[in-house]
Short mmCIF file of all heavy atoms in Angstrom, two decimals:
data_model
loop_
_atom_site.label_atom_id
_atom_site.label_comp_id
_atom_site.label_asym_id
_atom_site.label_seq_id
_atom_site.Cartn_x
_atom_site.Cartn_y
_atom_site.Cartn_z
N ALA V 5 114.61 104.78 143.60
CA ALA V 5 114.26 105.67 144.69
C ALA V 5 113.27 106.75 144.26
O ALA V 5 112.71 107.44 145.10
CB ALA V 5 115.52 106.32 145.25
N ARG V 25 101.25 128.46 110.99
CA ARG V 25 101.34 129.25 109.76
C ARG V 25 102.03 130.59 110.01
O ARG V 25 102.89 131.02 109.23
CB ARG V 25 99.93 129.48 109.20
CG ARG V 25 99.86 130.44 108.02
CD ARG V 25 98.42 130.62 107.58
NE ARG V 25 98.30 131.54 106.45
CZ ARG V 25 98.11 132.86 106.57
NH1 ARG V 25 98.00 133.40 107.79
NH2 ARG V 25 98.01 133.62 105.51
N PHE V 64 110.96 142.80 116.36
CA PHE V 64 109.59 143.04 116.79
C PHE V 64 109.41 144.51 117.16
O PHE V 64 110.21 145.08 117.90
CB PHE V 64 109.24 142.14 117.97
CG PHE V 64 109.11 140.69 117.57
CD1 PHE V 64 110.23 139.89 117.43
CD2 PHE V 64 107.87 140.15 117.28
CE1 PHE V 64 110.12 138.57 117.03
CE2 PHE V 64 107.75 138.83 116.89
CZ PHE V 64 108.87 138.04 116.75
N ASN V 99 104.44 153.07 102.19
CA ASN V 99 105.07 152.26 101.13
C ASN V 99 105.81 151.06 101.70
O ASN V 99 106.89 150.68 101.21
CB ASN V 99 106.02 153.11 100.27
CG ASN V 99 105.27 154.17 99.47
OD1 ASN V 99 104.22 153.87 98.89
ND2 ASN V 99 105.79 155.39 99.46
N VAL V 173 79.42 137.98 117.43
CA VAL V 173 80.57 137.15 117.10
C VAL V 173 81.37 137.01 118.39
O VAL V 173 81.14 137.73 119.36
CB VAL V 173 81.47 137.75 115.98
CG1 VAL V 173 80.74 137.81 114.66
CG2 VAL V 173 81.98 139.13 116.38
N SER V 179 86.72 130.47 126.62
CA SER V 179 86.20 129.25 127.23
C SER V 179 84.87 128.91 126.56
O SER V 179 83.96 129.74 126.51
CB SER V 179 85.98 129.46 128.73
OG SER V 179 85.08 128.51 129.24
N PHE V 330 113.62 124.89 116.05
CA PHE V 330 113.70 125.69 117.29
C PHE V 330 112.40 125.65 118.07
O PHE V 330 112.39 125.90 119.29
CB PHE V 330 114.09 127.14 116.97
CG PHE V 330 113.02 128.00 116.34
CD1 PHE V 330 112.37 128.98 117.08
CD2 PHE V 330 112.65 127.82 115.00
CE1 PHE V 330 111.39 129.78 116.50
CE2 PHE V 330 111.69 128.61 114.42
CZ PHE V 330 111.04 129.58 115.16
#
Side-chain angles (χ1 to χ4, degrees):
R25 173 182 180 269
F64 289 82
N99 294 316
V173 295
S179 160
F330 74 106

